[in-house]
Amino acid sequence: MSSKVKVAIIGSTGYGGVELIRLLASHPNAEVTSVVSSSSAGSSIAEGYPHLTDIRADTLDGVDAAAIRAKADVVFTATPAGVAAKLAPELLEKGLNVIDLSGDYRLRSAEVYREWYKKEPADARYLAEAVYGLAEIYGDRVRGARLISNPGCYPTATLLGLLPAVAEGYIDPATIIIDAKSGVSGAGRGASLGTHYSELNENFKAYKVNKHQHIPEIEQVLSDTAGRPVVTTFTTHLVPMTRGIMSTMYATVREGLKTADFIELYRRYYEGRRFVRVRPEGVLPATKEVWGSNYCDIGFAVDERTGRVTIVSVIDNLVKGAAGQAIQNLNLSMGWDETLGLNFIPAYP
Amino acid sequence: MSSKVKVAIIGSTGYGGVELIRLLASHPNAEVTSVVSSSSAGSSIAEGYPHLTDIRADTLDGVDAAAIRAKADVVFTATPAGVAAKLAPELLEKGLNVIDLSGDYRLRSAEVYREWYKKEPADARYLAEAVYGLAEIYGDRVRGARLISNPGCYPTATLLGLLPAVAEGYIDPATIIIDAKSGVSGAGRGASLGTHYSELNENFKAYKVNKHQHIPEIEQVLSDTAGRPVVTTFTTHLVPMTRGIMSTMYATVREGLKTADFIELYRRYYEGRRFVRVRPEGVLPATKEVWGSNYCDIGFAVDERTGRVTIVSVIDNLVKGAAGQAIQNLNLSMGWDETLGLNFIPAYP
Amino acid sequence: MSSKVKVAIIGSTGYGGVELIRLLASHPNAEVTSVVSSSSAGSSIAEGYPHLTDIRADTLDGVDAAAIRAKADVVFTATPAGVAAKLAPELLEKGLNVIDLSGDYRLRSAEVYREWYKKEPADARYLAEAVYGLAEIYGDRVRGARLISNPGCYPTATLLGLLPAVAEGYIDPATIIIDAKSGVSGAGRGASLGTHYSELNENFKAYKVNKHQHIPEIEQVLSDTAGRPVVTTFTTHLVPMTRGIMSTMYATVREGLKTADFIELYRRYYEGRRFVRVRPEGVLPATKEVWGSNYCDIGFAVDERTGRVTIVSVIDNLVKGAAGQAIQNLNLSMGWDETLGLNFIPAYP
Amino acid sequence: MSSKVKVAIIGSTGYGGVELIRLLASHPNAEVTSVVSSSSAGSSIAEGYPHLTDIRADTLDGVDAAAIRAKADVVFTATPAGVAAKLAPELLEKGLNVIDLSGDYRLRSAEVYREWYKKEPADARYLAEAVYGLAEIYGDRVRGARLISNPGCYPTATLLGLLPAVAEGYIDPATIIIDAKSGVSGAGRGASLGTHYSELNENFKAYKVNKHQHIPEIEQVLSDTAGRPVVTTFTTHLVPMTRGIMSTMYATVREGLKTADFIELYRRYYEGRRFVRVRPEGVLPATKEVWGSNYCDIGFAVDERTGRVTIVSVIDNLVKGAAGQAIQNLNLSMGWDETLGLNFIPAYP
């Protein structure tokens, strides 16, 4: 009936899943034909998400690779850690392309995955095949890929903010310290004391210091870029807000470099890539300035007193940090303009 | 260059103005060709609103009817009370169509306007000409109108929630009590103790009790619908959130009517109107379920113990309560599908 | 060792329980000698509540009436519905006085309790003995009582706002409509989708419309006061904040009465009662103005257009709506000044 | 009439001023006898702060040193930058002791003050006399002091978190990076776009990067402690909450040191000082755990992979970061127990 690419979403009742539904609704070349949930199969999606009333009439499908293949060409797996490790191969074998939003295919080393995720890693063959879809950096590799691993939210904000400077030797990779902050939606929809309103409202807290599973992902890419092993200090905090990530990053700069040099480098590096915006000197981005959109905004302040640069990078964790970049990867893998379906303005205020 | 309708926005630096810019960016038949601001003319819009960086490069135009006419066919006036009263006639005379988001053309009586707004009313001729654009109710009158008065945020949520029941005699208009709550963005971007973060966060407060300028607007429409004068109790509260309005409304029901009767009536009444969604029995809408969208969601609970109905109606005050409905009115006035450019899913969570 | 009254708290790991600990810490005549928890017995209280680090070194006791009696003279039961129904008699038999913060002893009728709470009611003998501790109204009855039933949070704000007007015939009880709003802490510390940060932040929602278990409690007292059965419309909403309740109440006033008459009546009615503060004409209280304190602040607006009064009453749900009033009841039952240990200023901002 | 020390507060209508009023209300040895405001003299304090209704009946006094001296023995100056520079000498000459909450007496160098505050510095004689009241570190010097300079909010959290490690050579001062976050109340009650609810809610932003006036204050103390000049990277962020500061601090540790070593050092260093609480290994403090109280809570995580320690230090910016520490300094200057009037439990949740 339609010539659009048919898309299934596994994990449709999570925040990443419903964000995919929201964004894909205005995609010109793709349409959601199956929403899948292991936990809620058989019930209506609008029951659990009343904002979808009269918009999506779907009944949630169960997780059945053959049935999904009958309905879709591409599948987004927005599943908890450890699920896609087993599921993606089965989907690929049925002929589906897979874009995985979980962390199961981000680390090349099965051993490192096991250490940080405390789960059984995916088969080495698929780890080797998976393309890491940090769109502005590895977009070329994504084209035509069958299995794309969508980057984590923190790594997206962090790496887009660091990579040009590391690649060009503007900063010393050994000195990188990353102080990251996230809204609560990054923790998912699961109910726990850690996501309880009264515990988080009017509160600011650090968590998983030096233990976050995004650390090896960040270090893997930094090491690739630097051409030598990089370890970093990475601290995550929870902000009393729903959406938004800020990575505030510190590093020692190559002598003589000023704020303007960083701005010039990053503008050049990201030229033609619509979703990275570099702020002018004296201005740093705030998370609300990208709310609901696929932008990653970056600003800089070099301090001559200390010889360090402060780099501030912000994204919406559910869009550029999850569903939005996944769609960007769909676009790139299909050879389409990467901005298809993603050309909307941040909701402000 | 383009065959789209050219649109100017006066008051582009207010929240209503930037929301028009956000929504119109994806409108297939209209484009913003001039962003106008009396206070910030000459500066870049992205300077005051960094979320528009690399999206809108506009320099803000001054308020000059002839210059606006040279750039645009239709103008939205998102101006403070009292401004459009003087400005709209001038714009109309230049041949522009005007959709006014302020309250200057909502009340038919100049005297009532003066009493509640404490401002000089518009010329009676224009008050008579203006069409009150409560889209789902008066959409027919909007078609072809030159001067459309966009309803207030509270009246939109309130009237859509009450009118079918009043029109059909399901409730006694003399018993209507409206307890309304709004997010802070309804107060605009002006800085004051009343919009100060530390004063509003973790706080819930009532304001302008029995004195809000939306009271005569609501009563005018209720009276028209009931066919006799209606006065109401209307209380407004400030909620510690940015967007969203809920009107919780109470009235005595015609004997024997049950919740299901209200649901059935409203579904019939709003049939074919995409932006009103009626919740099933036992479910009431929350403001987040319409966040960022043009929906008005309504739910009901008839209490047989008291013979009263509780009607809950929610909107996003900046969309259905301002910019979104204004675009819906543009669509209706042009004879287009009313949903053009407004077909997006609420951002959740 | 100390001549202070020894106090045990059952349900110490709930929000009501820790608030009792906070407030009693500065009580001159009472001291907490046992903190009891069925779910966490044996663990340290500071483990679950790090804000108590180095302040309370207690290990949580299990629920054992004899052991509690060995440590304490009075016990506060801050337990889920249905628990105190069984537990309080046992504690009373051991010679402990009981102040129950749950709803188990508020309704005189076992049948009504069963209907609204869906739990097994307490024994009729104890229901008859329990004194309803709405302190400013029934303070006299509390003195010397062995079993005190501490009022619910909504009933406290609502009844203190309504009773003088009902008692004096200033309003028609048949016309009372109560639109109540609460911060999230009222829902307790249990983790669920209904207390999830991302679901509640930037959201305003109604819940349990016409079904809240505080309805029969409110109606019982209103009926007693009016001298005839009163039924009311009572709607509850959740506000994106942690603490605070506002009841906005509507009723038809006796002809001729003005705002000033209500203010005068209430000031007279509550004379000498420190914890009720009546706002002057033109001013309505906000929840933050009582945050963390035992105050109930009340304001009025009579509308001559409609013949109705709007009464706004605010409390901190965890203090005047729970732990604070419970301590006030301890004071009253002991014949002490009711303000002992409660004389602190609201935390603002 | 009373033998309490009489206290005046200049700047009573700011958040620091009203917090002093709140805290001093329960002080056993001091009482507020004059509340002073240059902007609101002659009006009632409860008018601008309705939470003080029926608690403080004061009319605000004007700024008149002789009149203040007639009422008080000690004066807290909670004034904007530049005011106390001129005012304090006059107050001292009248025989008042002064505890200054502004930054006017924190920097020993007039030149550095001028550079960072862009204001005229205080007279060098008074800069030399002023004692920097970081209570747990310089408490001894405060005793008997006539002019006490109360530390800034960020420096308090930061220095208490860093000084033991610097003093003992546990970290290399040249590597210190401070990533600080504050609730909005730190910006005061002045209305501006920067304190506007709709701009800050659901937003996280960096500000004054490398330019905050607390930088030289922090570096002055670090340099004193290290015995050589220390420069630091110091970044400040605004959190969508009212109260609370977290300083997340990074530094390279002396080889071989582990988390447990830091904990042991800090517990020893702060032994007997009630208001510093050190968290056990694996636990980091959150801002809500000190809300409304005078505590500074500190936690540590040494990362052997990077050889760096992450130190997390939290305070309530209005209490330990302003009014609370000022009272602690009053206590110390009088030779009283430093905890007088400050022995309350954080309000949680």
Side-chain angles (χ1 to χ4, degrees):
Chain A
M1 211 168 106
S2 146
S3 66
K4 292 183 175 183
V5 166
K6 289 171 189 150
V7 168
I9 299 167
I10 304 184
S12 293
T13 57
Y15 288 151
V18 288
E19 190 69 354
L20 280 166
I21 292 172
R22 177 174 83 92
L23 298 176
L24 286 166
S26 59
H27 198 291
N29 292 10
E31 67 178 330
V32 177
T33 53
S34 171
V35 290
V36 181
S37 164
S38 63
S39 58
S40 307
S43 74
S44 146
I45 190 155
E47 206 175 299
Y49 282 108
H51 74 286
L52 293 176
T53 303
D54 296 353
I55 299 177
R56 296 289 314 188
D58 314 73
T59 296
L60 288 154
D61 293 324
V63 183
D64 174 330
I68 292 168
R69 183 64 192 98
K71 284 189 174 183
D73 310 307
V74 179
V75 60
F76 292 94
T77 45
T79 44
V83 173
K86 297 195 193 77
L87 187 57
E90 199 184 340
L91 298 164
L92 290 165
E93 279 162 32
K94 296 285 182 204
L96 285 152
N97 283 0
V98 175
I99 300 174
D100 178 38
L101 286 80
S102 83
D104 287 1
Y105 294 90
R106 294 181 195 149
L107 302 178
R108 285 191 298 263
S109 157
E111 189 184 350
V112 174
Y113 176 88
R114 194 181 278 113
E115 179 190 343
W116 290 84
Y117 281 84
K118 322 287 183 204
K119 301 266 179 188
E120 203 51 34
D123 188 281
R125 186 166 41 118
Y126 292 101
L127 290 181
E129 176 179 352
V131 176
Y132 185 70
L134 187 61
E136 280 75 13
I137 306 296
Y138 301 121
D140 292 348
R141 304 183 190 171
V142 169
R143 184 157 189 168
R146 217 171 54 124
L147 172 57
I148 299 168
S149 173
N150 209 52
C153 50
Y154 285 121
T156 297
T158 300
L159 293 170
L160 291 176
L162 286 175
L163 290 182
V166 170
E168 298 291 314
Y170 275 38
I171 59 175
D172 174 1
T175 65
I176 295 172
I177 290 174
I178 304 156
D179 191 283
K181 301 91 175 171
S182 176
V184 181
S185 64
R189 208 187 198 198
S192 71
L193 199 59
T195 57
H196 191 292
Y197 185 89
S198 301
E199 302 286 318
L200 296 179
N201 182 43
E202 188 70 5
N203 196 5
F204 187 85
K205 61 192 300 187
Y207 72 103
K208 284 195 190 178
V209 172
N210 299 326
K211 290 182 183 157
H212 200 288
Q213 70 276 14
H214 287 167
I215 291 176
E217 181 180 345
I218 290 168
E219 293 182 348
Q220 175 176 284
V221 180
L222 286 179
S223 299
D224 285 356
T225 307
R228 59 188 157 108
V230 174
V231 294
T232 61
T233 294
F234 178 72
T235 307
T236 41
H237 304 78
L238 221 44
V239 185
M241 62 185 190
T242 305
R243 291 177 180 228
I245 278 182
M246 178 182 286
S247 271
T248 312
M249 297 167 282
Y250 304 94
T252 299
V253 306
R254 204 171 68 203
E255 206 172 329
L257 291 175
K258 296 187 191 314
T259 300
D261 298 314
F262 280 82
I263 292 172
E264 193 274 335
L265 166 65
Y266 278 64
R267 288 204 168 135
R268 183 159 36 85
Y269 204 91
Y270 291 120
E271 202 177 352
R273 306 312 291 264
R274 183 186 181 85
F275 294 127
V276 175
R277 304 189 294 187
V278 177
R279 288 283 184 285
E281 187 154 1
V283 182
L284 294 171
T287 62
K288 206 182 181 88
E289 293 164 7
V290 298
W291 205 102
S293 82
N294 201 48
Y295 291 100
C296 174
D297 288 5
I298 307 174
F300 307 90
V302 171
D303 185 13
E304 295 175 34
R305 295 169 63 254
T306 59
R308 296 193 191 102
V309 65
T310 302
I311 304 178
V312 172
S313 173
V314 299
I315 60 168
D316 182 319
N317 55 304
L318 293 179
V319 188
K320 185 61 175 170
Q325 185 160 238
I327 293 168
Q328 193 178 356
N329 276 318
L330 170 67
N331 293 340
L332 290 165
S333 74
M334 294 291 177
W336 302 333
D337 178 341
E338 70 176 338
T339 70
L340 279 194
L342 297 170
N343 261 319
F344 37 82
I345 296 180
Y348 193 95
Chain B
M1 212 168 103
S2 148
S3 66
K4 291 183 175 182
V5 166
K6 289 172 188 149
V7 167
I9 299 167
I10 306 184
S12 294
T13 57
Y15 288 150
V18 289
E19 190 69 354
L20 280 165
I21 291 172
R22 176 174 83 94
L23 298 176
L24 286 165
S26 59
H27 199 290
N29 291 8
E31 66 177 331
V32 176
T33 52
S34 171
V35 290
V36 181
S37 164
S38 63
S39 58
S40 307
S43 73
S44 147
I45 190 156
E47 205 176 301
Y49 282 107
H51 74 286
L52 294 174
T53 302
D54 296 352
I55 299 176
R56 297 289 314 187
D58 313 73
T59 296
L60 288 155
D61 294 323
V63 183
D64 175 330
I68 293 168
R69 184 64 191 98
K71 286 190 172 182
D73 309 307
V74 178
V75 62
F76 292 93
T77 46
T79 44
V83 172
K86 297 194 192 78
L87 187 58
E90 200 183 339
L91 298 163
L92 290 165
E93 279 162 33
K94 296 285 181 203
L96 285 152
N97 282 1
V98 175
I99 299 174
D100 179 38
L101 284 81
S102 83
D104 288 2
Y105 293 91
R106 294 181 196 151
L107 302 177
R108 286 193 296 266
S109 158
E111 190 184 349
V112 174
Y113 176 88
R114 193 181 278 112
E115 180 190 342
W116 289 84
Y117 281 84
K118 322 290 183 202
K119 300 269 180 185
E120 202 52 34
D123 189 281
R125 186 163 41 115
Y126 292 101
L127 290 181
E129 177 180 351
V131 176
Y132 184 71
L134 187 60
E136 280 75 13
I137 306 297
Y138 301 123
D140 293 348
R141 304 183 191 170
V142 168
R143 182 158 189 166
R146 221 175 47 131
L147 172 58
I148 298 168
S149 173
N150 207 53
C153 49
Y154 285 122
T156 296
T158 300
L159 293 169
L160 291 177
L162 287 174
L163 290 182
V166 169
E168 297 292 314
Y170 275 37
I171 58 174
D172 175 0
T175 64
I176 295 171
I177 290 175
I178 304 155
D179 191 282
K181 302 91 175 171
S182 176
V184 181
S185 63
R189 209 188 196 196
S192 72
L193 199 58
T195 56
H196 190 293
Y197 185 89
S198 302
E199 302 286 318
L200 296 178
N201 181 44
E202 189 69 7
N203 196 4
F204 187 84
K205 61 193 300 187
Y207 71 103
K208 283 196 190 179
V209 174
N210 299 326
K211 287 182 184 156
H212 199 287
Q213 70 276 12
H214 287 167
I215 292 176
E217 181 180 344
I218 290 168
E219 293 182 348
Q220 176 176 282
V221 179
L222 286 179
S223 300
D224 284 358
T225 307
R228 58 190 157 105
V230 174
V231 294
T232 63
T233 294
F234 178 72
T235 306
T236 41
H237 304 78
L238 222 44
V239 185
M241 62 184 189
T242 305
R243 292 177 181 228
I245 278 181
M246 179 183 285
S247 270
T248 312
M249 298 168 282
Y250 304 94
T252 299
V253 306
R254 205 171 68 203
E255 207 173 326
L257 291 175
K258 297 187 190 315
T259 299
D261 298 313
F262 280 82
I263 292 171
E264 191 274 335
L265 167 64
Y266 279 65
R267 289 206 167 134
R268 184 161 34 87
Y269 205 91
Y270 290 119
E271 201 177 353
R273 308 311 292 263
R274 184 185 182 84
F275 295 126
V276 176
R277 303 189 294 188
V278 177
R279 286 284 183 286
E281 187 154 1
V283 182
L284 294 170
T287 62
K288 203 181 184 89
E289 294 163 8
V290 298
W291 206 101
S293 82
N294 201 48
Y295 290 99
C296 174
D297 288 5
I298 306 174
F300 307 89
V302 171
D303 185 14
E304 292 175 37
R305 296 169 62 253
T306 60
R308 296 192 191 103
V309 66
T310 302
I311 305 178
V312 171
S313 173
V314 300
I315 59 168
D316 181 319
N317 56 304
L318 293 178
V319 188
K320 185 62 176 170
Q325 185 160 238
I327 293 168
Q328 194 179 358
N329 276 317
L330 170 68
N331 293 341
L332 290 166
S333 74
M334 294 292 177
W336 304 332
D337 178 340
E338 69 177 338
T339 69
L340 280 192
L342 296 170
N343 260 320
F344 37 82
I345 296 181
Y348 193 95
Chain C
M1 215 167 102
S2 146
S3 66
K4 291 185 176 182
V5 166
K6 290 170 189 150
V7 167
I9 300 168
I10 305 184
S12 293
T13 57
Y15 289 151
V18 288
E19 190 69 353
L20 280 166
I21 291 173
R22 177 174 83 94
L23 298 176
L24 286 166
S26 59
H27 198 291
N29 291 9
E31 67 177 331
V32 177
T33 52
S34 171
V35 291
V36 182
S37 164
S38 63
S39 58
S40 307
S43 72
S44 146
I45 190 156
E47 205 175 301
Y49 282 108
H51 74 286
L52 294 175
T53 304
D54 296 353
I55 299 177
R56 297 289 313 188
D58 314 73
T59 297
L60 288 155
D61 294 323
V63 183
D64 175 330
I68 293 169
R69 184 63 190 100
K71 285 190 174 182
D73 310 307
V74 179
V75 61
F76 291 93
T77 46
T79 43
V83 172
K86 297 195 192 76
L87 187 58
E90 200 183 339
L91 297 165
L92 290 165
E93 278 162 33
K94 296 285 181 205
L96 286 152
N97 282 1
V98 176
I99 300 175
D100 178 37
L101 284 81
S102 83
D104 287 2
Y105 293 91
R106 294 181 195 149
L107 301 178
R108 286 192 298 265
S109 158
E111 190 184 349
V112 174
Y113 176 88
R114 194 181 278 113
E115 180 190 344
W116 290 84
Y117 282 84
K118 321 287 183 207
K119 301 267 179 187
E120 203 52 34
D123 188 280
R125 186 164 41 118
Y126 293 101
L127 291 181
E129 176 180 352
V131 175
Y132 185 71
L134 187 60
E136 280 76 14
I137 305 297
Y138 301 122
D140 293 348
R141 304 182 191 171
V142 169
R143 184 158 187 166
R146 219 172 52 126
L147 173 57
I148 299 168
S149 172
N150 208 53
C153 50
Y154 285 122
T156 296
T158 301
L159 293 169
L160 290 177
L162 287 174
L163 289 182
V166 169
E168 298 291 314
Y170 274 38
I171 58 175
D172 175 359
T175 64
I176 294 172
I177 289 174
I178 303 155
D179 190 283
K181 301 94 176 170
S182 175
V184 181
S185 63
R189 208 187 197 197
S192 71
L193 200 58
T195 57
H196 191 292
Y197 185 89
S198 302
E199 301 286 317
L200 296 179
N201 181 44
E202 189 71 5
N203 196 5
F204 187 85
K205 60 193 299 187
Y207 71 104
K208 284 196 189 178
V209 173
N210 300 324
K211 289 182 184 158
H212 200 288
Q213 70 276 15
H214 287 168
I215 292 176
E217 181 180 346
I218 290 168
E219 293 182 348
Q220 176 176 283
V221 179
L222 286 178
S223 299
D224 285 356
T225 307
R228 59 189 157 106
V230 175
V231 294
T232 62
T233 294
F234 177 73
T235 306
T236 42
H237 304 79
L238 221 44
V239 185
M241 62 185 190
T242 305
R243 292 177 181 229
I245 278 181
M246 179 182 284
S247 271
T248 312
M249 297 167 281
Y250 304 94
T252 299
V253 306
R254 204 170 69 204
E255 207 172 329
L257 290 174
K258 296 188 190 314
T259 300
D261 298 314
F262 279 83
I263 291 172
E264 192 274 333
L265 167 64
Y266 279 62
R267 289 205 167 134
R268 182 158 37 85
Y269 204 90
Y270 291 119
E271 202 177 351
R273 307 311 292 265
R274 184 186 180 86
F275 295 126
V276 176
R277 304 189 294 188
V278 177
R279 287 283 183 286
E281 187 153 2
V283 182
L284 294 170
T287 62
K288 206 183 182 88
E289 294 164 7
V290 297
W291 205 100
S293 82
N294 201 47
Y295 290 99
C296 174
D297 287 6
I298 307 174
F300 307 90
V302 172
D303 185 13
E304 294 175 34
R305 295 169 63 253
T306 59
R308 295 193 192 104
V309 66
T310 301
I311 304 178
V312 171
S313 174
V314 298
I315 60 168
D316 181 319
N317 56 303
L318 293 179
V319 188
K320 184 62 175 168
Q325 185 160 238
I327 293 169
Q328 194 179 357
N329 276 317
L330 170 67
N331 292 341
L332 290 165
S333 73
M334 294 291 175
W336 303 332
D337 177 341
E338 70 176 340
T339 69
L340 280 193
L342 297 169
N343 260 320
F344 37 81
I345 297 181
Y348 193 96
Chain D
M1 217 168 100
S2 148
S3 66
K4 291 183 176 183
V5 165
K6 289 172 188 151
V7 168
I9 299 166
I10 306 184
S12 293
T13 58
Y15 288 150
V18 290
E19 190 69 355
L20 280 165
I21 291 172
R22 176 174 84 94
L23 298 176
L24 286 166
S26 59
H27 199 290
N29 291 9
E31 67 178 330
V32 176
T33 53
S34 172
V35 291
V36 181
S37 164
S38 63
S39 58
S40 307
S43 74
S44 147
I45 189 156
E47 206 175 298
Y49 282 108
H51 74 285
L52 294 175
T53 303
D54 297 352
I55 298 176
R56 296 289 314 187
D58 313 75
T59 296
L60 288 154
D61 293 323
V63 183
D64 175 329
I68 293 168
R69 183 64 191 97
K71 285 190 174 182
D73 309 308
V74 179
V75 60
F76 291 93
T77 46
T79 45
V83 172
K86 296 195 191 77
L87 187 58
E90 201 183 338
L91 297 164
L92 290 166
E93 279 164 31
K94 296 287 182 203
L96 285 152
N97 282 0
V98 175
I99 299 173
D100 179 38
L101 285 80
S102 82
D104 288 3
Y105 293 91
R106 293 181 196 151
L107 302 177
R108 285 192 298 266
S109 156
E111 191 184 348
V112 174
Y113 177 88
R114 193 182 277 112
E115 179 190 343
W116 289 84
Y117 281 84
K118 321 289 182 202
K119 300 268 179 187
E120 202 52 34
D123 188 280
R125 186 165 39 119
Y126 293 101
L127 290 181
E129 177 180 351
V131 175
Y132 184 71
L134 188 60
E136 280 75 13
I137 306 296
Y138 301 122
D140 294 347
R141 304 183 191 171
V142 168
R143 183 158 188 167
R146 221 173 48 129
L147 172 58
I148 298 168
S149 174
N150 208 53
C153 49
Y154 285 122
T156 296
T158 300
L159 293 170
L160 291 177
L162 287 174
L163 290 182
V166 170
E168 298 291 314
Y170 275 38
I171 58 175
D172 174 1
T175 64
I176 295 171
I177 290 175
I178 304 155
D179 191 283
K181 303 91 176 170
S182 175
V184 181
S185 63
R189 209 187 197 196
S192 71
L193 199 58
T195 57
H196 191 292
Y197 185 90
S198 303
E199 302 286 319
L200 297 179
N201 182 44
E202 189 69 7
N203 196 4
F204 187 84
K205 61 193 299 188
Y207 71 103
K208 284 197 189 176
V209 173
N210 299 325
K211 288 182 183 157
H212 200 288
Q213 70 277 11
H214 287 167
I215 291 176
E217 181 180 345
I218 290 168
E219 292 181 349
Q220 174 176 282
V221 179
L222 286 179
S223 299
D224 284 357
T225 306
R228 58 188 158 108
V230 174
V231 295
T232 63
T233 294
F234 178 72
T235 306
T236 42
H237 304 80
L238 222 43
V239 185
M241 63 184 189
T242 305
R243 292 176 181 229
I245 278 181
M246 179 183 286
S247 271
T248 312
M249 297 168 282
Y250 303 95
T252 298
V253 306
R254 204 170 68 203
E255 208 174 324
L257 291 174
K258 297 190 189 312
T259 299
D261 298 313
F262 280 82
I263 291 172
E264 192 274 335
L265 167 65
Y266 279 64
R267 287 206 168 134
R268 184 161 36 87
Y269 203 92
Y270 291 119
E271 201 177 351
R273 307 311 292 265
R274 184 186 181 84
F275 295 127
V276 176
R277 303 189 294 188
V278 177
R279 287 283 184 286
E281 186 153 3
V283 182
L284 294 170
T287 63
K288 205 182 183 89
E289 294 164 8
V290 298
W291 206 101
S293 81
N294 202 48
Y295 291 100
C296 174
D297 288 5
I298 307 174
F300 307 89
V302 172
D303 185 12
E304 293 174 36
R305 296 170 62 254
T306 59
R308 295 192 191 104
V309 65
T310 302
I311 304 178
V312 171
S313 173
V314 299
I315 60 168
D316 181 319
N317 57 303
L318 293 179
V319 189
K320 185 61 176 170
Q325 185 161 236
I327 292 168
Q328 193 179 357
N329 277 316
L330 171 67
N331 293 341
L332 290 166
S333 73
M334 293 293 175
W336 304 332
D337 178 341
E338 70 177 338
T339 69
L340 280 193
L342 297 169
N343 260 320
F344 37 80
I345 297 181
Y348 193 95

